[in-house]
Amino acid sequence: MSDDEQEQTIAEDLVVTKYKMGGDIANQALRLVVETARPGVSVLSLCETGDAYIMAETGKVFKKEKEMKKGIAFPTSVSVNNCVCHFSPLKSDPDYTLKDGDLVKIDLGVHVDGFIANVAHSFVVGASKENPVTGRKADVIKAAHLCAEAALRLVKPGNQNTQVTEAWNKIAQSFKCSPIEGMLSHQLKQHVIDGEKTIIQNPTDQQRKDHEKAEFEVHEVYAVDVLVSTGEGKARDGGLRTTIYKRDPSKQYGLKMKTSRTFFSEVERRFDAMPFTLRAFEDEAKARLGVVECAKHELLQPFSVLHEKEGEIVAQFKFTVLLMANGPHRITNGPFDPELYKSEHEVQDPELKTLLQSSASRKTQKKKKKKASKTAENATGQPTEETEAAE
C-alpha cells in the first residue's frame, strides 16, 4: 500500500465484511484440523490439511476481483507439549506423530484482500467429558483460556496495553504458571500482521522499560495471542529448521544467487508481506536453498520454532478482535469446552474475578443488570455461559 492511498479501516462496512469472511474461514479451518487431530496422525498432514482448506475456501470469495490477494495469512502450525510455536515441518523434515495425552496448539491465519484473521487453540488429544484432563495440563489450558477471556474484556477503546499484561501475569500465577516471556500480540492493518501497537507478555525489566505504552482506539484490530507455560516461561530456539518466513518490505538487497532471486520474486508475487511456509513451493529443495541468502540479508524475517524446557507444557489461545464503535467484536475463536479441563486452581484476584464474570457480548450488555446478582453468587473465576458463547 503506497503512502498516498487512504488506509482502509473497519469504519467501512466492506472492510468489516472482509475481516468476517476471513474469520469464518479461519474458524472452520481450525475446527477441521482439531477434528482431524487424533492419535497416530502426523503433524505434517495436519498442517497440509489446514493450509489446503484455507486456499480452497479463500479461492471461492470475491472471484470477480481478479487482482485481489487472498489466502493464508499464517501457515498452519501444530506445536505439541513443550514446543511453544511455529512448528510446521517440510516433507523433508522429521515429522511428529500425535499420541493420547498430547497438548496440541494449532495456530493459523487467513486474509481476504490483506485483512487478516488469526486464530490459535489448544486441546489435549483424547480428552472427553468421561476422561477429563487434570493436573498441570488442565492448569495451563485453564490459565491460558482465562487470560484470553480477560483480554477480550480489556482490549477496548480507552484501555491501555499494560492493563492486559498485568492481568495475564496475575491469572497465570494463580494457576502456578507463567506467560511466555516477551511474546507480543500485534495490532493488525491491511497487509500488515505486525502493526506498531502491541501487548507484551511477562516482560523482563528491560523489555518493560523499552516496550511502548499504548491506548486502544476505536476502529483498530488486534490479534490477541496468549501463550502460557507450566515452567518459567522462557522460550528458546530448539534448533529445528525454520520453515515460516515473511518478507520485510523495509529491507533492500541485491541478491547474488540466481536461485535466491527466483525464490524471492516468487515470494513477492505470491505472498507479498504475509508469512508463508517453504512447503508452499513446488520444489522444496530449491526453496530451502533460496531462503538462506534472503534471510541472511534480512529480506525475510524468520518465525523460529521455539521450545520451553523438556517436560514443561505450553498452551496457546489467540483471537482476532475488531474494536467497533458499539463494542469489541471477536471474529475468531476456537471450539473450547471448559468441562474437559479440571484444575484445582482458580483466579483469586477479586477484580479479575468480576471482570471474567462480566459479559463480553454486545447483545447481552442490556441483560447484565438482571444477571449481576446471580453472577455474584457464582464468582468462581469461570466465565458464565453467556461469556463462553460471546463471539
Side-chain angles (χ1 to χ4, degrees):
M1 190 172 75
S2 61
D3 294 338
D4 52 2
E5 273 182 63
Q6 184 61 41
E7 185 190 325
Q8 292 184 292
T9 73
I10 55 170
E12 296 172 54
D13 288 348
L14 182 58
V15 172
V16 174
T17 300
K18 288 172 181 174
Y19 269 117
K20 284 184 177 174
M21 277 179 160
D24 290 345
I25 294 170
N27 290 335
Q28 288 156 6
L30 175 66
R31 277 171 175 74
L32 174 67
V33 179
V34 171
E35 283 159 16
T36 315
R38 302 265 181 266
V41 173
S42 90
V43 163
L44 170 61
S45 71
L46 290 174
C47 295
E48 290 175 333
T49 297
D51 288 355
Y53 182 87
I54 293 169
M55 290 309 291
E57 293 302 309
T58 51
K60 295 174 189 173
V61 300
F62 288 106
K63 274 189 155 169
K64 292 193 178 107
E65 311 256 356
K66 297 290 179 227
E67 295 303 300
M68 187 189 286
K69 291 241 166 104
K70 49 198 201 276
I72 293 168
F74 198 85
T76 308
S77 305
V78 179
S79 308
V80 182
N81 297 330
N82 68 316
C83 181
V84 178
C85 53
H86 308 152
F87 186 62
S88 191
L90 308 184
K91 290 185 181 71
S92 53
D93 286 336
D95 201 352
Y96 179 87
T97 304
L98 295 186
K99 52 188 190 299
D100 249 335
D102 278 342
L103 192 154
V104 180
K105 298 168 286 295
I106 295 166
D107 187 3
L108 55 86
V110 176
H111 79 98
V112 174
D113 196 19
F115 297 106
I116 299 163
N118 288 331
V119 69
H121 181 67
S122 296
F123 62 98
V124 172
V125 177
S128 64
K129 290 196 170 96
E130 298 71 46
N131 178 30
V133 177
T134 57
R136 295 302 279 152
K137 283 176 194 165
D139 294 344
V140 77
I141 281 193
K142 276 282 204 244
H145 177 254
L146 289 172
C147 282
E149 289 294 323
L152 180 62
R153 293 154 177 74
L154 289 170
V155 178
K156 58 184 186 185
N159 279 359
Q160 305 272 337
N161 56 357
T162 47
Q163 291 170 255
V164 184
T165 303
E166 296 314 315
W168 284 347
N169 273 346
K170 283 181 186 164
I171 292 171
Q173 280 161 12
S174 61
F175 288 86
K176 299 193 165 36
C177 292
S178 316
I180 297 283
E181 191 177 276
M183 285 286 182
L184 296 174
S185 295
H186 286 273
Q187 183 184 0
L188 300 174
K189 293 188 172 185
Q190 189 180 20
H191 305 296
V192 179
I193 201 161
D194 50 359
E196 58 268 29
K197 287 191 188 179
T198 59
I199 306 163
I200 194 168
Q201 280 199 164
N202 194 9
T204 62
D205 291 344
Q206 190 57 47
Q207 285 168 341
R208 198 180 287 272
K209 270 187 210 139
D210 297 343
H211 190 250
E212 298 249 336
K213 284 197 171 60
E215 186 174 298
F216 306 119
E217 293 177 56
V218 75
H219 296 145
E220 289 178 341
V221 181
Y222 288 87
V224 179
D225 193 4
V226 175
L227 284 144
V228 178
S229 167
T230 55
E232 290 175 22
K234 295 197 190 308
R236 302 164 186 84
D237 190 330
L240 292 180
R241 180 202 302 283
T242 299
T243 60
I244 300 173
Y245 292 86
K246 76 176 267 301
R247 190 167 70 82
D248 183 345
S250 69
K251 296 280 194 294
Q252 301 286 316
Y253 176 75
L255 293 162
K256 306 291 183 278
M257 285 169 59
K258 184 170 186 286
T259 319
S260 309
R261 290 198 298 272
T262 308
F263 169 78
F264 190 68
S265 64
E266 188 175 339
V267 168
E268 288 184 301
R269 182 173 53 80
R270 287 177 60 194
F271 307 110
D272 197 19
M274 292 292 172
F276 62 90
T277 165
L278 299 182
R279 247 193 343 270
F281 292 79
E282 208 167 314
D283 189 332
E284 219 174 70
K286 277 193 180 152
R288 289 203 318 260
L289 190 64
V291 77
V292 177
E293 191 184 3
C294 300
K296 186 181 172 189
H297 296 283
E298 298 180 352
L299 292 176
L300 296 178
Q301 298 171 339
F303 288 83
S304 306
V305 184
L306 301 178
H307 283 79
E308 173 57 287
K309 276 188 192 140
E310 191 70 47
E312 301 296 356
I313 303 158
V314 179
Q316 177 186 25
F317 290 95
K318 184 193 300 185
F319 63 88
T320 302
V321 63
L322 314 183
L323 302 189
M324 306 292 282
N326 61 348
H329 181 58
R330 172 165 58 181
I331 58 166
T332 61
N333 194 24
F336 184 73
D337 183 351
E339 288 187 28
L340 302 185
Y341 305 98
K342 307 287 183 199
S343 170
E344 59 192 42
H345 303 292
E346 55 181 85
V347 173
Q348 300 298 337
D349 184 281
E351 275 179 40
L352 283 172
K353 272 188 176 182
T354 307
L355 178 77
L356 288 163
Q357 290 294 331
S358 68
S359 169
S361 163
R362 294 173 297 171
K363 295 187 190 88
T364 52
Q365 295 294 343
K366 290 170 189 139
K367 303 177 203 161
K368 213 162 70 174
K369 291 195 173 112
K370 287 181 197 164
K371 291 280 288 188
S373 55
K374 281 187 195 168
T375 310
E377 296 162 31
N378 181 30
T380 58
Q382 310 299 352
T384 58
E385 284 122 76
E386 255 182 8
T387 303
E388 290 292 342
E391 284 194 35

